[in-house]
Amino acid sequence: MVKILIVDDAPDSAETLATLLRAAGHEVTCVTNGRQALASVLADLPDVVLLDMHMPEMDGPSFLEVVRSYLRLQSLPVVVLTGLPDSPMVDRVQHLKVNSVLVKGKASPDEIRQALEEAAVRAPG
């Protein structure tokens, strides 16, 4: 079982993916913005984060910059899921040690699950 935090401002798609991940035996929490994600990560460290880039209050890159500023979170596995793979935001997160970048609508639920599982397994610890 992998403990997964999904950060996406589209609750319907996040819950659909969460249902599939739970069916695969994983523990899943969903939040809708980077501020909620930061509070969640600090309160209950997940094994891996699935991070959307474009969100209100705190976007994906800003969340990741804050997370990486914490020594204990520098190696937290993060998989980015974005609808805009050529966005400058994706360029911004590349240097912040993301495990992979997947494209919404192109990556299948199985590919997303596999990327999350692989990122969690490769995490130092």
Side-chain angles (χ1 to χ4, degrees):
M1 177 189 72
V2 175
K3 189 178 353 178
I4 301 166
L5 174 63
I6 297 176
V7 188
D8 194 332
D9 63 334
D12 289 343
S13 33
E15 279 303 325
T16 299
L17 188 54
T19 299
L20 295 168
L21 292 167
R22 288 182 185 118
H26 302 302
E27 179 183 330
V28 183
T29 301
C30 296
V31 297
T32 59
N33 65 59
R35 289 193 195 287
Q36 293 173 346
L38 184 58
S40 181
V41 164
L42 294 174
D44 186 22
L45 186 65
D47 296 318
V48 62
V49 175
L50 181 63
L51 181 65
D52 185 22
M53 290 286 92
H54 297 276
M55 298 176 292
E57 294 188 46
M58 179 187 280
D59 63 20
S62 298
F63 162 78
L64 199 50
E65 287 169 351
V66 173
V67 162
R68 294 299 187 229
S69 73
Y70 287 85
L71 185 59
R72 73 182 182 104
L73 300 177
Q74 288 180 351
S75 61
L76 174 65
V78 175
V79 173
V80 170
L81 185 62
T82 183
L84 302 169
D86 298 326
S87 164
M89 286 185 162
V90 174
D91 293 338
R92 236 173 98 195
V93 299
Q94 291 293 359
H95 75 281
L96 294 168
K97 297 189 278 184
V98 297
N99 293 71
S100 57
V101 177
L102 304 174
V103 179
K104 286 182 180 181
K106 289 188 179 181
S108 72
D110 281 339
E111 289 170 322
I112 295 168
R113 179 192 48 76
Q114 183 177 4
L116 292 166
E117 290 171 351
E118 288 175 1
V121 167
R122 282 194 225 125

